[in-house]
């Protein structure tokens, strides 16, 4: 199989070809850090995590950049309501965002750039657009004139005849079908806090939301890169505007593949606080569901389909995760080794000494079936189907006493590679010394290299640890220290606060 992805731009499945052989540059729109993300947002982030794990398993060197929108209408409103400087306000929400990702076993992105750390890049982009005649100034703000970009609407297929000449919209987000010129630089308004405006060549103000993603994606991934993702509600206007700004400035194609995750519904309805069907991760953890069961449910439906979240579905997910764990336990017993000792075994799928003919063939057939699904536009439901057929057959064989210890080892290798390393619904094998295929770098391996660990993430984890200590939750604080250590970051408590360094 070759990797095929559904490209929103062409509305069709396309064979994936990277810009640079063997490498993938991926930009995943991140959260606006003004509140706790809900499980619909988390569905998108977990899907993107599985995507990166699949790419790495397919031996693509993958660079994932996820922005943190820490300046826009919502964060400014939130900071003002909380009476905090913008940065302090958004720091808190970045910390809880990373805590949620971590609880769900999401491998950190390569980089988490913050919009407010990239104001000069955004100003430079506006100047480039101005030089190419795409902008005009009005009321002190700078606007993108969509009539100057003939490709406008190509991603969303929006009807441009609805455009009112000269009509503008200042909001960062506006309604579907409402096609208007949009602000790339917004003049500072009276009453807006000092902490949310910058004095630049464009005057005192701040960037528009759409501009942030154009500037940061091109800075880290180049003017043309492989894949840009988000949720379906990002298609218009956000991604349409990103294309206009980026291609308008460079004259080059911006992104080769656009992928979009569908919505999550709760009991068949759109999630809304007013309906009482709005859930965050802590809401579900409080109901004693495990993060792995939640993750299982989130990946159980392919990303292009709506996911209907129900508590019955979550219970079913919990029992599916238990089936995996109980099979793993029984296989471990069959191997005849338990506890510490087993950590020293290095397991290899398909290793010739690992299993006898028939069973080895079944393991590799299951492996193939899983990857056939994943390479078919990341079909996680198909992958789970193939995995559970294998689980069922292996349970039967175990029951009948047909498995040798070597067969059990091979079966565990498959479980840990697929359910652990790729789908993240079982503990990853990194800690137990299990290895899937020596030629492939596992995601957990790459994330344990401290030079890859993003500083924003480290700072947020340190902030989360400090918060845990403040509430005397020392268990959580220690867990964060260990988590950082696992990624090669050593913390030092000093009289001047916490310092960190990378393990040599
Ligand atoms: Zn974005």
């Amino acid at each position: 199989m070759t990797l095929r992805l559904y490209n929103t731009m062409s509305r069709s499945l396309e064979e994936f070809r990277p810009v640079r052989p063997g490498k993938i540059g991926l930009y995943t729109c991140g959260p606006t850090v003004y509140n706790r993300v809900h499980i619909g947002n988390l569905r998108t982030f977990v899907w993107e995590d599985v995507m990166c794990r699949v790419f790495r398993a397919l031996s693509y060197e993958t660079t994932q950049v996820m922005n943190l929108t820490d300046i826009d209408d919502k964060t400014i409103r939130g900071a003002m309501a909380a009476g905090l400087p913008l940065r302090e306000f958004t720091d808190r929400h970045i910390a809880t965002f990373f805590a949620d990702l971590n609880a769900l076993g999401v491998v950190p992105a390569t980089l988490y750039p913050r919009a407010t750390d990239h104001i000069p890049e955004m100003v430079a982009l506006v100047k480039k657009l101005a030089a190419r005649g795409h902008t005009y100034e009005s009321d002190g703000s700078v606007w993108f004139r969509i009539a100057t970009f003939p490709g406008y609407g190509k991603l969303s297929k929006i009807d441009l005849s609805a455009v009112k000449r000269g009509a503008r919209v200042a909001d960062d987000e506006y309604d579907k079908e409402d096609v208007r010129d949009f602000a790339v630089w917004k003049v500072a308004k009276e009453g807006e806090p000092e902490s949310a405006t910058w004095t630049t060549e464009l005057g005192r103000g701040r960037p528009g939301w759409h501009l942030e993603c154009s500037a940061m994606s091109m800075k880290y991934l180049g003017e043309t890169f492989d894949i840009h993702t988000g949720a379906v509600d990002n298609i218009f206007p956000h991604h349409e505007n990103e294309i206009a700004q980026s291609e308008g400035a460079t004259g080059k194609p911006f992104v080769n593949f656009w992928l979009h995750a569908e919505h999550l519904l709760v009991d068949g309805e759109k999630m809304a606080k007013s309906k009482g069907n709005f859930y965050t991760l802590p809401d579900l953890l409080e109901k004693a569901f495990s993060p792995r069961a939640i993750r299982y449910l989130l990946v159980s439906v392919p990303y292009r389909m709506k996911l209907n979240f129900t508590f019955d579905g979550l219970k079913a997910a919990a029992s599916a995760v238990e089936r995996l764990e109980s099979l793993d336990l029984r296989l471990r017993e069959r191997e005849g080794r338990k506890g510490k000792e087993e950590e020293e075994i290095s397991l290899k799928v398909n290793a010739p000494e690992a299993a006898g003919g028939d069973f080895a063939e079944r393991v590799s057939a299951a492996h193939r079936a899983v990857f056939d699904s994943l390479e078919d536009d990341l079909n996680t439901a198909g992958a789970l189907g193939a995995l559970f057929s294998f689980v069922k057959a292996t349970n039967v064989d175990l029951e009948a006493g047909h498995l040798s210890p070597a067969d059990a080892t091979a079966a565990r290798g498959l479980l840990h590679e697929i359910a652990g390393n790729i789908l993240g619904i079982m503990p990853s094998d990194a800690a137990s010394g299990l290895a899937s295929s020596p030629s492939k770098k596992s995601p957990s391996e790459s994330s344990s290299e401290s030079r890859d660990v993003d500083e924003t993430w480290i700072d947020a984890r340190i902030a989360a640890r400090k918060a845990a200590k403040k509430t005397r939750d020392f268990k959580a604080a220690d867990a964060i220290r260990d988590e950082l250590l696992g990624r090669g970051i050593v913390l030092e408590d000093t009289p001047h606060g916490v310092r960190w360094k990378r393990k040599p």
Side-chain angles (χ1 to χ4, degrees):
M1 273 288 274
T2 43
L3 178 61
R4 295 188 311 157
L5 299 170
Y6 184 87
N7 194 345
T8 306
M9 185 64 85
S10 66
R11 301 289 195 272
S12 66
L13 273 176
E14 292 178 27
E15 190 176 313
F16 176 72
R17 282 200 199 84
V19 176
R20 291 174 299 159
K23 294 185 164 57
I24 292 180
L26 169 67
Y27 189 83
T28 50
C29 277
T32 301
V33 283
Y34 75 111
N35 64 0
R36 191 130 202 165
V37 295
H38 57 66
I39 53 171
N41 304 133
L42 289 170
R43 181 205 187 180
T44 304
F45 299 131
V46 168
W47 158 62
E48 290 160 342
D49 176 43
V50 171
M51 181 189 313
C52 288
R53 291 166 180 243
V54 170
F55 292 164
R56 288 178 180 134
L58 296 174
S59 300
Y60 285 107
E61 197 183 295
T62 305
T63 303
Q64 182 197 3
V65 177
M66 178 180 282
N67 65 297
L68 301 169
T69 297
D70 60 355
I71 171 82
D72 79 329
D73 299 344
K74 290 173 186 162
T75 52
I76 292 176
R77 268 200 304 272
M80 286 168 75
L84 290 171
L86 184 73
R87 186 117 185 155
E88 201 178 309
F89 172 76
T90 55
D91 273 347
R92 294 181 182 192
H93 293 287
I94 290 173
T96 57
F97 173 63
F98 285 144
D100 286 353
L101 292 192
N102 183 53
L104 287 173
V106 170
V107 175
T110 318
L111 282 170
Y112 288 104
R114 290 173 77 145
T116 54
D117 291 337
H118 296 78
I119 303 293
E121 287 86 342
M122 293 169 199
V123 171
L125 186 56
V126 173
K127 287 173 68 185
K128 232 169 154 179
L129 286 170
R132 294 174 74 115
H134 289 296
T135 61
Y136 60 96
E137 232 189 279
S138 177
D139 307 333
S141 293
V142 183
W143 304 82
F144 189 97
R145 194 192 300 277
I146 62 171
T148 64
F149 186 72
Y152 196 88
K154 62 183 172 181
L155 181 70
S156 59
K157 322 293 180 208
I158 197 113
D159 179 12
L160 279 174
S161 65
V163 187
K164 295 180 203 87
R165 219 179 155 69
R168 302 191 309 255
V169 60
D171 290 346
D172 283 324
E173 282 178 280
Y174 48 97
D175 286 336
K176 221 173 148 66
E177 311 304 333
D178 186 9
V179 188
R180 295 183 188 201
D181 293 346
F182 57 93
V184 288
W185 184 262
K186 300 177 170 202
V187 68
K189 277 186 264 176
E190 210 170 313
E192 276 181 352
E194 279 282 297
S195 61
T197 51
W198 287 261
T199 301
T200 73
E201 290 170 61
L202 304 171
R204 185 145 185 88
R206 62 177 171 101
W209 170 43
H210 312 297
L211 188 78
E212 301 174 7
C213 282
S214 282
M216 293 191 285
S217 60
M218 291 197 291
K219 169 167 182 177
Y220 294 107
L221 297 170
E223 292 178 342
T224 301
F225 60 91
D226 297 298
I227 304 173
H228 194 313
T229 67
V232 285
D233 48 6
N234 291 143
I235 297 173
F236 184 84
H238 185 49
H239 290 165
E240 198 69 74
N241 291 353
E242 274 190 51
I243 293 170
Q245 295 162 153
S246 304
E247 299 190 352
T250 68
K252 294 176 193 162
F254 175 40
V255 166
N256 288 340
F257 282 79
W258 288 92
L259 273 62
H260 293 97
E262 255 297 348
H263 286 136
L264 176 144
L265 306 172
V266 175
D267 295 318
E269 285 191 75
K270 200 171 177 226
M271 205 163 42
K273 279 191 175 136
S274 57
K275 285 188 200 153
N277 66 354
F278 186 96
Y279 298 106
T280 63
L281 184 64
D283 293 336
L284 300 183
L285 296 177
E286 241 168 57
K287 293 180 192 290
F289 288 103
S290 79
R292 256 178 229 132
I294 296 163
R295 184 171 165 114
Y296 183 101
L297 182 65
L298 295 179
V299 304
S300 65
V301 174
Y303 75 95
R304 280 203 295 127
M305 287 173 72
K306 289 194 171 71
L307 188 157
N308 188 24
F309 175 92
T310 63
F311 281 99
D312 283 344
L314 191 49
K315 281 176 204 150
S319 72
V321 169
E322 272 166 33
R323 277 176 68 200
L324 292 172
E325 285 170 1
S326 93
L327 175 60
D328 185 46
L329 191 70
R330 293 175 65 208
L331 288 168
R332 218 189 305 180
E333 282 165 7
R334 184 66 197 98
E335 282 180 299
R337 304 183 184 93
K338 283 182 193 169
K340 275 272 166 216
E341 208 186 314
E342 60 96 25
E343 290 178 10
E344 283 146 33
I345 321 165
S346 170
L347 296 184
K348 294 182 178 89
V349 183
N350 303 339
E353 73 280 10
D358 282 359
F359 193 77
E361 177 46 40
R362 193 189 300 160
V363 170
S364 54
H367 188 268
R368 258 196 318 274
V370 166
F371 272 89
D372 280 352
S373 287
L374 293 173
E375 288 176 59
D376 180 17
D377 197 29
L378 309 161
N379 181 354
T380 44
L384 282 172
L387 178 66
F388 274 88
S389 303
F390 175 80
V391 166
K392 199 172 163 191
T394 305
N395 271 320
V396 171
D397 276 348
L398 258 179
E399 209 65 58
H402 288 164
L403 291 194
S404 68
D407 293 340
T409 299
R412 285 193 67 216
L414 182 81
L415 274 190
H416 284 260
E417 181 187 358
I418 305 303
N421 284 349
I422 304 288
L423 299 171
I425 50 177
M426 262 181 86
S428 172
D429 62 12
S432 68
L434 286 159
S436 49
S437 151
S439 63
K440 288 170 187 169
K441 199 166 144 189
S442 79
S444 34
E445 230 172 74
S446 47
S447 67
S448 70
E449 288 168 15
S450 67
R451 62 189 161 81
D452 286 350
V453 180
D454 183 59
E455 291 188 10
T456 306
W457 179 79
I458 297 169
D459 290 342
R461 297 311 287 148
I462 290 173
R465 178 170 170 265
K466 195 172 156 196
K469 276 185 155 176
K470 220 171 178 176
T471 59
R472 308 193 64 77
D473 187 351
F474 297 110
K475 217 173 127 188
D478 287 346
I480 294 169
R481 173 189 283 270
D482 292 346
E483 179 198 345
L484 284 160
L485 199 58
R487 300 199 191 286
I489 306 298
V490 186
L491 296 190
E492 278 174 340
D493 289 303
T494 76
H496 313 289
V498 180
R499 296 231 174 97
W500 63 267
K501 60 178 188 212
R502 297 182 196 273
K503 244 185 340 198

